[in-house]
Amino acid sequence: MGGLTIEGGAAEGAATAAPHGERRRRKRSSVARPNPFQFENLILRPGTVPSNCVMIDFQIARYSPPAYDVMSLLNTTTTSAFRAVYLDRLAAQYHEALQAELDWFQINVDEVFPGDDFRESCEEYKLAGLIDSILFRHLTLLPTEMASECKECPVPVSFENLMENSISEMSTKAWDSCENYRYLMGDLLADLVDTYILAE
C-alpha cells in the first residue's frame, strides 16, 4: 500500500521576480504522492511536526470553466436574497481579481477570458452552481454534533460510505431540529424551484 510521507520544514526556494516590484517566494516540499489518497495512507515520520502542509485531492475534479466554481461558491455561501442584489457585482469582482493574479504572470485576462465571455459563462452556469450547492451543502451544513457521526463511516471514507451511513437520516434530523440548517437548505431549494422550475 502506498503512503504519503510528510516531513517537517519544507525547503524554501529562491525569490521570484514579479511585476510591480513584487517578490514572491516559492517553497519546495518533500511530500511524496500518496497512492491512493486516503487518510490511512498519510504517514508522519516519528518525531517530526508537519509545517505549511496543504493536501489537495482531485478525485472528483472535472473539466469546467471558472464560472462554474464561482457560481457554486456564491450559491454555497450566500442567500438567494443576497444573490439577487450582489451576484453580478461579485462575479465582476472575481474577474478583476483574476486579472490581478494573471498580471503576476504578465498575462492579459482579456486575451484568455474576456469579461463578456465570463459574464455569459456565469449566466450559463448559474443553474449548475445552484445544483452543485444543493448536492453538497446538505452535508457541509450539518451541525457539528451531527457531522461528528460521520467518523463512524467505514474506512476509506467515500461518498457511497457516507450515504450508507444514514446521512439522509442525519439530514432529516438536522432539518427537523436546526433552524439555521432548515432556513439555508430551504432557501436553496426554493431558489431552484422558483427560478428554474415554476418559471418554466
Side-chain angles (χ1 to χ4, degrees), residues 138-179:
H138 78 284
L139 297 175
T140 60
L141 281 175
L142 284 173
T144 303
E145 62 275 12
M146 294 184 188
S148 63
E149 297 179 25
C150 293
K151 295 179 181 179
E152 304 301 323
C153 290
V155 176
V157 172
S158 67
F159 185 77
E160 291 77 13
N161 285 337
L162 286 174
M163 294 302 101
E164 293 171 1
N165 198 51
S166 302
I167 287 295
S168 59
E169 294 179 11
M170 281 192 279
S171 297
T172 301
K173 182 179 178 181
W175 180 278
D176 292 337
S177 62
C178 180
E179 181 178 356

Side-chain angles (χ1 to χ4, degrees), residues 50-175:
S51 62
N52 299 321
C53 179
V54 177
M55 299 179 187
I56 303 175
D57 184 3
F58 293 101
Q59 181 174 348
I60 61 172
R62 299 291 184 271
Y63 286 110
S64 61
Y68 183 97
D69 289 334
V70 175
M71 292 298 103
S72 178
L73 172 65
L74 294 179
N75 277 285
T76 299
T77 57
T78 64
T79 64
S80 59
F82 184 92
R83 291 191 296 275
V85 177
Y86 297 108
L87 183 66
D88 292 339
R89 189 184 306 180
L90 289 172
Q93 184 68 35
Y94 168 86
H95 194 262
E96 293 176 9
L98 179 61
Q99 172 66 81
E101 288 298 312
L102 292 180
D103 278 345
W104 189 75
F105 297 98
Q106 299 181 339
I107 297 174
N108 184 349
V109 70
D110 287 324
E111 293 179 358
V112 295
F113 204 7
D116 289 343
D117 290 352
F118 176 68
R119 284 185 286 274
E120 291 177 6
S121 188
C122 284
E123 192 63 34
E124 180 179 354
Y125 282 91
K126 278 183 179 179
L127 175 57
L130 179 58
I131 293 174
D132 185 81
S133 298
I134 293 171
L135 288 175
F136 291 98
R137 205 174 186 195
H138 78 284
L139 297 175
T140 60
L141 281 175
L142 284 173
T144 303
E145 62 275 12
M146 294 184 188
S148 63
E149 297 179 25
C150 293
K151 295 179 181 179
E152 304 301 323
C153 290
V155 176
V157 172
S158 67
F159 185 77
E160 291 77 13
N161 285 337
L162 286 174
M163 294 302 101
E164 293 171 1
N165 198 51
S166 302
I167 287 295
S168 59
E169 294 179 11
M170 281 192 279
S171 297
T172 301
K173 182 179 178 181
W175 180 278

